[in-house]
């Protein structure tokens, strides 16, 4: 397995990766996804025999804040340390950035993964996180 900066957007491999994990909001909106990649701060791909098997995408200013937008590993390659290597690569590159932020699903294994990488829930710092998804009405 090899990690390298993802420089050239290849729609078919990206859509395949997002489909493999069921992220339909992305693969059903390929133009949005392409634009999102174009506007990303930094992207790292994980490759096995030149096949894209994982990706991490970061947005932000690279100084005061980075936001880990996407971290995906194809199901056949999960639980092999690839996600951790992708995340460690980003955390090392941006070690001097003040805030490193992400939102994730509230699943025990996902929470454990990010806590293991040093992330804490926002409420630990007396902070709150807010999110507004396009198209969702107020409750």
């Amino acid at each position: 397995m090899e990690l390298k900066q993802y420089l050239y957007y290849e729609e078919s491999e990206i859509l395949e990766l997002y489909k493999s994990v069921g992220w339909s909001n992305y693969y059903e909106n390929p133009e949005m996804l392409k634009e999102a990649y174009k506007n990303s701060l930094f992207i790292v791909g994980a490759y096995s025999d030149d096949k894209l098997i994982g990706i991490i995408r970061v947005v932000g200013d690279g100084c005061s804040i980075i936001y880990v937008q996407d971290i995906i590993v194809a199901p056949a390659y999960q639980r092999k340390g690839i996600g951790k290597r992708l995340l460690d690569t980003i955390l090392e590159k941006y070690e001097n950035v003040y805030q490193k932020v992400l939102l994730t699903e509230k699943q025990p294994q996902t929470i454990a993964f990010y806590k293991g990488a040093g992330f804490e829930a926002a409420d630990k710092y007396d902070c709150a996180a807010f999110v507004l998804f396009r198209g969702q009405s107020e409750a």
Side-chain angles (χ1 to χ4, degrees):
M1 197 268 307
E2 176 186 17
L3 298 182
K4 58 186 175 183
Q5 185 175 1
Y6 191 82
L7 296 171
Y8 306 103
Y9 186 81
E10 295 289 338
E11 184 172 73
S12 61
E13 70 181 359
I14 291 295
L15 292 178
E16 180 181 334
L17 189 58
Y18 280 74
K19 283 180 184 177
S20 78
V21 294
W23 288 15
S24 61
N25 183 57
Y26 295 94
Y27 66 76
E28 290 177 355
N29 295 290
E31 286 303 314
M32 176 194 72
L33 189 57
K34 182 178 182 179
E35 197 65 21
Y37 268 72
K38 177 181 155 191
N39 291 303
S40 296
L41 181 63
F42 195 71
I43 306 165
V44 176
Y47 295 85
S48 177
D49 297 323
D50 293 324
K51 177 181 171 59
L52 183 68
I53 59 168
I55 203 133
I56 189 166
R57 185 168 71 88
V58 177
V59 298
D61 61 26
C63 183
S64 67
I65 189 167
I66 62 165
Y67 186 94
V68 177
Q69 175 56 38
D70 298 334
I71 181 170
I72 301 172
V73 176
Y77 297 90
Q78 291 177 3
R79 308 262 186 267
K80 298 179 188 230
I82 297 167
K84 181 173 179 0
R85 286 193 53 202
L86 286 165
L87 187 58
D88 286 349
T89 299
I90 293 304
L91 295 178
E92 182 179 316
K93 177 174 178 57
Y94 294 105
E95 68 181 320
N96 293 322
V97 171
Y98 178 63
Q99 293 180 71
K100 298 159 188 84
V101 182
L102 59 90
L103 287 176
T104 190
E105 52 188 27
K106 198 172 183 178
Q107 300 295 323
Q109 69 274 16
T110 306
I111 293 168
F113 173 79
Y114 288 110
K115 282 192 170 190
F119 285 83
E120 297 286 350
D123 60 358
K124 177 182 178 182
Y125 300 101
D126 202 24
C127 294
F130 298 91
V131 62
L132 177 63
F133 290 104
R134 179 188 71 208
Q136 289 190 338
S137 60
E138 295 182 20

